[in-house]
């Protein structure tokens, strides 16, 4: 199986970017579409709600009921119990991608679900 690079980008930092990387697979990994952004302004190949945290987990994290470490552990458990991460990798490979760009809308670029998903996907690729 060929190696695939997995990176993250904040949606608001790549608006109107044409996503010109021919070997890239750009996927929005939020459960909800980013507020105030039209689908035309976001160059993306896929919107995968299945790899996003469950609604209950997302709400608990955003309401500050969970710190990032607790959120990460619970989200990782959701990912490990799901076929969705492997399905995302398979779709990217089928599209000929050598790089997956996980697009997210969280303001915090260091403590968000895309970082946890990136790690889970990298573990699957290894």
């Amino acid at each position: 199986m060929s190696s695939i690079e997995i990176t993250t980008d904040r949606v608001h930092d790549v608006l109107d970017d044409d996503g010109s990387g021919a070997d890239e697979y750009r996927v929005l990994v939020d459960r909800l579409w980013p507020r105030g952004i039209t689908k035309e302004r976001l160059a993306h190949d896929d919107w995968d709600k299945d790899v996003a945290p469950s609604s209950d987990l997302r709400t608990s994290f955003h309401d500050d009921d969970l710190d990032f470490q607790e959120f990460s552990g619970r989200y990782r458990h959701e990912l490990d119990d799901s076929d969705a991460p492997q399905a995302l990798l398979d779709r990217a490979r089928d599209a000929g991608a050598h790089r997956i760009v996980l697009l997210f809308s969280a303001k915090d670029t260091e403590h968000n679900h895309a970082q946890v998903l990136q790690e889970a996907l990298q573990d699957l690729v290894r």
Side-chain angles (χ1 to χ4, degrees):
M1 228 179 250
S2 66
S3 181
I4 194 160
E5 178 186 5
I6 301 158
T7 63
T8 62
D9 264 328
R10 186 170 181 264
V11 166
H12 297 82
D13 296 338
V14 296
L15 283 180
D16 301 319
D17 178 352
D18 66 1
S20 59
D23 64 345
E24 278 187 349
Y25 190 75
R26 296 164 58 106
V27 56
L28 178 65
V29 294
D30 288 352
R31 186 163 299 277
L32 304 173
W33 188 263
R35 186 177 299 150
I37 303 206
T38 63
K39 290 186 171 92
E40 297 75 31
R41 286 191 66 200
L42 181 63
H44 66 291
D45 299 297
D46 193 5
W47 176 18
D48 192 348
K49 299 175 199 173
D50 293 336
V51 295
S54 65
S55 294
D56 288 343
L57 184 57
R58 180 182 57 80
T59 301
S60 292
F61 181 54
H62 288 283
D63 289 346
D64 293 325
D65 294 338
L66 302 173
D67 64 16
F68 185 69
Q69 184 175 356
E70 179 70 19
F71 166 79
S72 296
R74 290 186 188 187
Y75 178 39
R76 185 61 193 255
H77 184 73
E78 287 183 356
L79 291 171
D80 291 345
D81 286 348
S82 171
D83 294 331
Q86 185 62 55
L88 171 57
L89 286 173
D90 293 344
R91 284 193 309 278
R93 286 191 176 112
D94 289 348
H98 295 286
R99 180 174 178 225
I100 297 174
V101 181
L102 305 175
L103 302 171
F104 65 94
S105 62
K107 291 178 184 173
D108 187 338
T109 58
E110 294 179 25
H111 302 98
N112 63 68
H113 71 286
Q115 309 308 315
V116 179
L117 177 58
Q118 178 185 26
E119 183 179 293
L121 292 171
Q122 287 170 333
D123 286 349
L124 287 173
V125 169
R126 290 187 189 119

